[in-house]
Amino acid sequence: MATAPPEPDERGETPDYFDILGVDRAFTQSSDELKSKYKRLMIEFHPDRHALSAEEEKVHNASMATNVTRAYGVIGDPLSRALHLLELRGAAIEESDSSIIDNNLLTEIMEVREEIEDASSDNELRALLLTCHERQSKLYEKLVSAFREERIEDAKSDTAKLQYWNRVEETIKEKISSIR
């Protein structure tokens, strides 16, 4: 899933995608519950179900279906979910927040990127991908407790780190595809 920032509504405010889906505003989410709520809401707002409704209601339901789809995409992806939670708490990650990333991480990311560049086989890349997934899993665990305990600065830092590791994952997957 792509990691796009939440779309502001017509008032320029960020919608609460947790509220739209009817789930708790928490980092930990059940994928089965999310899928179930998404399907139920899409059935409720599907255009075919409202074909004989007034035009205003059709427009409203189409808008709701779009919001439900967007909410499912954001809440269904751990990085997007973390970014959304931070934004809802007034702690969105800004481009100028360079102080939340330490130099050790930047060095590690640079070294991994060099290994990716030097890799010449799927096996080498898959080993790097495994390492990347391990880093992401550890960050997910840290984010669960940081959000649960309301340690927003820790959540912000770990979310920024997760952004780096997600980019590394994308780079590895692109290179695996190009080797084939």
Side-chain angles (χ1 to χ4, degrees), residues 115-126:
E115 289 180 53
I116 295 167
E117 189 65 34
D118 294 342
S120 59
S121 72
D122 270 4
N123 288 338
E124 290 174 288
L125 291 166
R126 290 190 193 290

Side-chain angles (χ1 to χ4, degrees), residues 32-110:
D32 290 340
E33 180 184 2
L34 282 176
K35 186 182 255 186
S36 171
K37 298 237 179 182
Y38 170 74
K39 285 181 177 180
R40 183 182 53 78
L41 288 167
M42 289 308 289
I43 289 169
E44 181 179 338
F45 295 116
H46 196 278
D48 290 347
R49 186 175 172 143
H50 303 281
L52 301 177
S53 299
E55 191 60 32
E56 186 176 306
E57 190 174 339
K58 286 180 187 178
V59 169
H60 169 74
N61 287 321
S63 174
M64 288 302 297
T66 298
N67 287 337
V68 167
T69 300
R70 189 175 293 133
Y72 183 68
V74 169
I75 305 305
D77 175 65
L79 175 57
S80 296
R81 182 181 330 128
L83 290 166
H84 186 53
L85 279 168
L86 289 170
E87 185 167 4
L88 291 173
R89 286 173 166 83
I93 295 176
E94 306 293 335
E95 291 293 323
S96 61
D97 285 342
S98 60
S99 64
I100 60 176
I101 298 296
D102 62 34
N103 287 332
N104 292 334
L105 174 70
L106 296 177
T107 301
E108 182 179 12
I109 295 293
M110 203 167 53

